[in-house]
C-alpha cells in the first residue's frame, strides 16, 4: 500500500514516464519490510500477545534480523540503480546515505536488542526521506 503513494504522487504531478514511477514504487516496496520488521522486532511481545503474525513473531530473532539486513541491502542496491534516472546530486546523496541503513541493519544483526531495533526503524525512515530529498534536489537544481 505504501508504494501506491509514489504512483499517486507521480500521477498527480503529471508525470508521463511510468517506468520512473514504477521504480520509485519498487523502492518503497522494498523499503517497507525492513522498516516495519524492525518495529515489530522492537515490540515482538506485543505482537505475540495480540496474535498478529508479523515476521519477527513467526520466525527466530536471528533469522528476522538477517532478512532485515537483506532487505536493507536490496533497498540500497535499487536506490543506487536509480542514479541514471536522476543526476549527480542524487548519486552523491544516495551513495553517501547508503551507509546509514546498511550500518543500522548490521548493528541490529550483531546485537539484536530493542535499542538496535529502534535505531534501525528510525534510520530506515530517515534514509527513505533523504532519498526523496535528493531526488527533489536533483530535479530542482
Amino acid at each position: 500500500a505504501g508504494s501506491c503513494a509514489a504512483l499517486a504522487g507521480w500521477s498527480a504531478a503529471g508525470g508521463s514516464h511510468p517506468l520512473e514511477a514504477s521504480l520509485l514504487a519498487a523502492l518503497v516496496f522494498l523499503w517497507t519490510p525492513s522498516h516495519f520488521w524492525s518495529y515489530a522486532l522492537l515490540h515482538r511481545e506485543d505482537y505475540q500477545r495480540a496474535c498478529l503474525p508479523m515476521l519477527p513473531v513467526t520466525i527466530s530473532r536471528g533469522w528476522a534480523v538477517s532478512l532485515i539486513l537483506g532487505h536493507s541491502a536490496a533497498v540500497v542496491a535499487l536506490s543506487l540503480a536509480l542514479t541514471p534516472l536522476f543526476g549527480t546530486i542524487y548519486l552523491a546523496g544516495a551513495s553517501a546515505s547508503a551507509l546509514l541503513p546498511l550500518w543500522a541493519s548490521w548493528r541490529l544483526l550483531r546485537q539484536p536488542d530493542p535499542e538496535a531495533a529502534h535505531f534501525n526503524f528510525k534510520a530506515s525512515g530517515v534514509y527513505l526521506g533523504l532519498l526523496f530529498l535528493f531526488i527533489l534536489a536533483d530535479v530542482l537544481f
Side-chain angles (χ1 to χ4, degrees):
S3 300
C4 290
L7 296 171
W10 192 277
S11 295
S16 60
H17 299 90
L19 175 63
E20 288 89 341
S22 297
L23 290 172
L24 290 176
L27 182 71
V28 175
F29 181 81
L30 282 177
W31 167 85
T32 301
S34 61
H35 180 70
F36 287 105
W37 290 341
S38 296
Y39 185 83
L41 191 60
L42 178 62
H43 299 286
R44 189 170 195 248
E45 292 75 24
D46 294 334
Y47 281 100
Q48 284 175 327
R49 279 194 300 275
C51 297
L52 294 172
M54 289 291 284
L55 184 87
V57 173
T58 62
I59 63 175
S60 72
R61 185 179 306 268
W63 185 233
V65 296
S66 295
L67 290 172
I68 289 169
L69 176 60
H71 267 267
S72 296
V75 169
V76 166
L78 180 57
S79 73
L80 295 175
L82 293 176
T83 56
L85 299 176
F86 304 108
T88 55
I89 294 172
Y90 177 79
L91 174 60
S95 298
S97 64
L99 296 174
L100 179 61
L102 296 175
W103 176 67
S105 296
W106 178 254
R107 179 180 170 209
L108 179 60
L109 181 70
R110 303 274 296 155
Q111 188 175 358
D113 61 17
E115 180 185 329
H118 187 249
F119 182 79
N120 195 64
F121 172 74
K122 294 284 191 178
S124 67
V126 168
Y127 175 64
L128 187 66
L130 286 171
L131 288 178
F132 282 109
L133 281 174
F134 297 138
I135 291 169
L136 179 63
D138 215 49
V139 170
L140 291 177
F141 303 108

